[in-house]
Amino acid sequence: MSTSLKMSWGSVSYALSFADVLWSFLALFFLLAFCAHKISLHLPRKYETCRLYMLFQDLIRYGKTKQNLKRDDWLRAFDVPKRWFWHFYAISVGWNGLLLAFYLISIFQHQSYPLLLTGVLDFLTGVPSTDSQVPQLSTLLVQLLLCVHSLRRLMECLFVSVFSDGAMHLVQYVFGVCYYIAMGLTVLCSDRLGKGTGTLLSQLDWFHLAGSSLFIGASLMQHQSTVLLARLRTGKSGRVETLAHRVPEGGWFELVSCPHYLAELLIYVSLSLVFGGLSLTWWLVVLYVLFNQALAAQLCHELYISKYESYPRHRKAFIPFVL
């Protein structure tokens, strides 16, 4: 049974897989959520006590942006600690590491994926598996980089970041777990929908180097931002002195309120470049990350502006000079 949707544009025909539809839906959902939040800022204050309004705000906020939100007690029952973010990256390291192992086994030992994994990929891509599939260097690099990214974020959550008593919704937690599982599967979907020729080394091209370079630069940017945020709560000795929120300064914080979110977007753009910029599926992932991180950054930006009178007005939320 095919799960692809065919679309035509002029003389060119495209086949949208279920994975494409899924990421398109998520991107559209967060775009609408972003627009709905911007509109809600202009509503009369009486709507802040509306249950639908509270539920919407409860679902899009987490951590510091949620602490002053007016909520009913029944909504607080679904809170889980924000510090559980490390669960996402631990799952990502284990899951994507397992998928990487399956891919390496398929390359060097010529063994097929487990039947369950094959069936899932058949459904997500609408393309049946074949024994003649040529291994792609792009897929291998993206899997490696995704594992490195997840491991770094896990280490930062455990040993760098200083979490307060901030919370996130249980729905956000479940979504986060599913997201990193879907991410690894999406890499293999892009592999199946792509075409590789020759040996792995013969496939090496300029975009692999460009994408990897951008990945390294964006990762360093994100790590620097994470360290600067942690230092707002620690002293020179490295010990936690306060859990209060302060105005972040230094690095890319001089231009935007949330450079770590901008870095996240650049990391996913870099992975798209490693795919040669030819994977529609991965560009849809990038689109989702854009709207998702834009929403989170906008909420943080609004909090900083409302909380600190001296907050630099030239700073944007997410993208320098733009948003």
Side-chain angles (χ1 to χ4, degrees):
M1 178 180 178
S2 176
T3 58
S4 62
L5 173 65
K6 290 192 176 294
M7 300 179 63
S8 295
W9 183 266
S11 59
V12 182
S13 178
Y14 301 95
L16 293 180
S17 66
F18 181 83
D20 296 335
V21 174
L22 173 63
W23 289 111
S24 297
F25 170 78
L26 289 175
L28 179 60
F29 178 85
F30 277 92
L31 172 60
L32 293 176
F34 180 85
C35 294
H37 169 68
K38 296 291 283 187
I39 293 173
S40 71
L41 296 176
H42 303 285
L43 293 176
R45 295 186 65 87
K46 65 179 182 179
Y47 287 101
E48 292 183 3
T49 58
C50 172
R51 286 196 171 185
L52 183 60
Y53 175 87
M54 286 191 294
L55 177 60
F56 172 70
Q57 293 294 331
D58 196 38
L59 288 173
I60 66 173
R61 296 174 181 269
Y62 59 87
K64 58 180 174 287
T65 65
K66 197 171 197 167
Q67 289 179 337
N68 296 324
L69 182 65
K70 297 178 181 178
R71 297 186 293 157
D72 290 338
D73 291 338
W74 69 273
L75 286 173
R76 298 180 186 277
F78 295 96
D79 284 357
V80 296
K82 184 194 170 186
R83 64 174 61 92
W84 284 7
F85 256 63
W86 74 267
H87 295 181
F88 302 152
Y89 303 115
I91 290 171
S92 181
V93 169
W95 172 245
N96 289 297
L98 179 64
L99 295 183
L100 173 60
F102 286 148
Y103 196 71
L104 289 173
I105 290 173
S106 71
I107 293 175
F108 297 109
Q109 297 186 8
H110 306 289
Q111 294 184 17
S112 301
Y113 297 146
L115 290 178
L116 179 59
L117 178 58
T118 299
V120 171
L121 294 177
D122 288 348
F123 173 75
L124 290 176
T125 62
V127 178
S129 61
T130 61
D131 294 333
S132 59
Q133 182 80 18
V134 178
Q136 298 183 60
L137 178 61
S138 294
T139 302
L140 185 58
L141 278 177
V142 169
Q143 285 186 309
L144 284 169
L145 294 177
L146 195 58
C147 286
V148 169
H149 172 62
S150 300
L151 181 60
R152 176 182 62 81
R153 291 295 293 124
L154 175 60
M155 294 298 101
E156 288 173 347
C157 283
L158 294 177
F159 304 111
V160 178
S161 296
V162 180
F163 292 100
S164 61
D165 57 351
M168 59 179 164
H169 199 284
L170 179 62
V171 171
Q172 293 172 318
Y173 178 79
V174 174
F175 178 83
V177 171
C178 295
Y179 168 78
Y180 282 101
I181 293 175
M183 187 56 55
L185 294 173
T186 302
V187 176
L188 295 183
C189 287
S190 297
D191 175 77
R192 182 172 294 189
L193 295 172
K195 294 181 180 179
T197 57
T199 63
L200 289 175
L201 287 179
S202 68
Q203 296 176 28
L204 183 64
D205 211 327
W206 67 269
F207 52 80
H208 293 125
L209 301 178
S212 298
S213 298
L214 178 57
F215 175 88
I216 294 173
S219 297
L220 291 174
M221 172 183 172
Q222 191 173 59
H223 179 70
Q224 179 198 46
S225 301
T226 302
V227 170
L228 289 174
L229 284 174
R231 286 178 180 173
L232 295 176
R233 294 177 169 177
T234 59
K236 295 182 179 179
S237 63
R239 294 182 179 180
V240 177
E241 294 183 347
T242 179
L243 295 180
H245 300 292
R246 298 174 178 173
V247 177
E249 297 176 341
W252 283 78
F253 281 108
E254 299 303 321
L255 293 176
V256 293
S257 295
C258 302
H260 45 310
Y261 294 155
L262 172 60
E264 186 79 3
L265 173 63
L266 293 177
I267 285 171
Y268 281 88
V269 170
S270 74
L271 298 181
S272 190
L273 289 179
V274 173
F275 273 125
L278 300 175
S279 173
L280 171 63
T281 304
W282 203 262
W283 280 119
L284 292 173
V285 172
V286 171
L287 198 61
Y288 155 76
V289 173
L290 168 63
F291 296 137
N292 174 277
Q293 299 296 286
L295 175 59
Q298 182 64 33
L299 294 171
C300 287
H301 186 63
E302 292 168 2
L303 175 67
Y304 288 144
I305 291 177
S306 64
K307 190 173 183 178
Y308 306 107
E309 293 183 0
S310 61
Y311 193 74
R313 299 297 170 177
H314 68 275
R315 289 189 193 179
K316 295 295 183 179
F318 177 44
I319 301 176
F321 315 111
V322 179
L323 176 65

